[in-house]
Structures are given as C-alpha cells and as structure tokens.
Amino acid sequence: MLERYELEAFLTLAEELHFGRTAERLGVSTGRVSQTVKKLERRVGTPLFVRTSRSVRLTPVGQRLYEDLLPAYRQLREAVTRATEAGRGLHGTLRTGFGPAWGGDLLTAAADTLLARYPGCEVTVREVPLDGGFGLLADGTLDVQFVAFPVREPELTAGPVVVTAERMMLLPANHPLATRPSLSLDDLAGLPMILPEGANPRYWIDHHYPRRTPSGAAVGRGPTAATWQEVLAHVSAGRGVAPGAALGASYHPRPGIAYVPVHDAPPVEYGLAWRTASDSALLRAFVEAVGP
C-alpha cells in the first residue's frame, strides 16, 4: 500500500517532470522528492522515470501507473473534501436563477437537497427573463444560472450539460406548416422569427435564432420579446414563429400554438453557468446537487 507522501510525490513529479517544481509544490526539499521516488521504484521493482541532466520523463510503466492512480487519487481527495465540508457545515447564501421553467424545477429541487444536507446555508431561486441574458451573472446579482448553452463569456464558467431537449419550432396553430410531422431548417426561409430583446450575446443569438438557412436563404425577423410569455403571445397571435425545446410543449401548452420538431437541428443543451469569481464550496455542492 502506498503512503500518502509517496503517492503525492509520484503524481506531482509525473505532472511537472521537474524535481525542483515538484519540491516547491509539495513544500519539501528536492532530495526528499528524489528519495521518495527511488523508494517507490524499489517497491515496484522497475524505474518509473527516466532522468537525465536535462529532462525527466515517465517510463512506460510509470505512465501506466500514473493513469491508473490519478482517478483514484482524485476520488479520494474529493471524498475527504466532502467529508470535511459536511463536518464543518456549509454556510452562506447562494443566489441562483433560471430562464426556462424546467430549470426552475431543477434548481428548486437542488436547493432542497442542499438545505437538507447543510441547514446552515441559504439558496435563493429567481426567474431570469428572456432579455436578461447573462447580465445578472456578469453584474454579480446571481452566483449561478441555469442557461441554454453556449456560454463563452470570459468571466463565466460553463458547467456540464444537464438537460438535452429536442429542438422545436413554435408556429401559430393555423400556419400551413403547423400540421407537418417535422420541419427542416430550410423551412425557416422567410418566416418572421421572434427575437429576444436585451443584451444576449451575438454568438448566442446566432446559435438559437439563425439568420440564414443551411441553403443560404434569409430567415425573416419578426417582433421582439422580453419574456417567454411575450413570445407565446406573439406566436399565438400569428405575428411570428419562435425556436424552442420539446419540454416547452408540456410547460407552456397553448391552443393557438403548434410545437413542431426540427429534424435536422441540433438539440438544445442546458446547464449551469456561474461567475468564476463566485466559486466556493457552497457553489460546488450546489452544482453537484443539480447533476448530471
């Protein structure tokens, strides 16, 4: 069984490939690192590193050992961290927000899970209107937000995809295309698409509200909307069409709106984004509670 200092010395040297930097990271002398690695090599029975006056590199056996040990070491550290945090308890307030209605359900459930585990903390959940974009994250009003990807803001960190939903097009129920079993992106040519107001990034708008079809035809531009309810009102009144997700059909059913799949469009991906500067044990615990 490896001692902790042997494990840390080996993994750190495998990453740094430099005895001086390894010693600096571990807070020990270079000689101590060298002695520890030699002891480990004697135990294994074969060299783990090739050392020259100019370089350090892993042997094939050392590379395999590194790849085998690293996941287990990370799991061990995370387990100790979770246990330590549970023992100390998490405190403070985390401000969360959501745009799509199903995001509100996810955040509320995660908040309940977190509060049951850490009663000393507080989680607030608020809705972010369609025109809000990432603004409430950027100005510090929110710490974390459930969003439709992509997120490429330099001050924000994007987490993993939590929800994937089939992309739909919302059409007035009496529109000629509304009775089709599915649409293609080329069917959007000339249709007036309802656009979100506000400061949503250009790359985000272009991803969800394309300006042209794959064949190059222009997609029309309809009225703008600040909230999802305004989008539904515009579509129902026949003023335009809007992109959406399959989940919306169950959360926002309207007699005047048809939800039609777009068979050649990529799915809509949702997840969490947070202010990088807001990173904390409480935020990480919340992200873990949301999933995936």
Side-chain angles (χ1 to χ4, degrees), residues 144-287:
V144 61
Q145 183 176 332
F146 182 83
V147 299
F149 289 146
V151 175
R152 300 173 190 153
E153 306 305 292
E155 72 274 15
L156 303 182
T157 296
V161 174
V162 175
V163 175
T164 300
E166 182 182 20
R167 195 175 295 269
M168 311 284 280
M169 190 59 58
L170 280 66
L171 303 171
N174 60 359
H175 194 280
L177 298 177
T179 57
R180 287 195 183 180
S182 70
L183 303 175
S184 72
L185 289 171
D186 279 322
D187 289 324
L188 302 182
L191 294 181
M193 188 172 291
I194 299 163
L195 298 175
E197 294 179 356
N200 288 284
R202 173 68 179 269
Y203 67 83
W204 190 91
I205 294 289
D206 289 344
H207 182 84
H208 294 284
Y209 302 82
R211 296 171 182 272
R212 293 193 174 275
T213 68
S215 62
V219 178
R221 288 303 189 242
T224 59
T227 68
W228 187 244
Q229 292 301 320
E230 289 182 18
V231 172
L232 298 176
H234 282 313
V235 175
S236 183
R239 298 187 183 122
V241 303
L247 290 165
S250 57
Y251 276 84
H252 304 292
R254 287 280 187 99
I257 295 178
Y259 287 79
V260 185
V262 184
H263 60 77
D264 56 352
V268 188
E269 296 181 331
Y270 299 92
L272 297 179
W274 56 88
R275 295 176 65 241
T276 304
S278 296
D279 186 33
S280 65
L282 179 57
L283 187 147
R284 291 192 295 273
F286 183 77
V287 171

Side-chain angles (χ1 to χ4, degrees), residues 74-109:
R74 286 176 174 168
Q75 288 180 351
L76 183 63
R77 288 190 61 180
E78 290 170 0
V80 172
T81 298
R82 286 194 295 269
T84 301
E85 290 175 349
R88 293 175 180 172
L90 293 182
H91 300 274
T93 299
L94 190 70
R95 300 160 301 171
T96 75
F98 66 93
W102 46 94
D105 290 349
L106 272 176
L107 297 194
T108 301

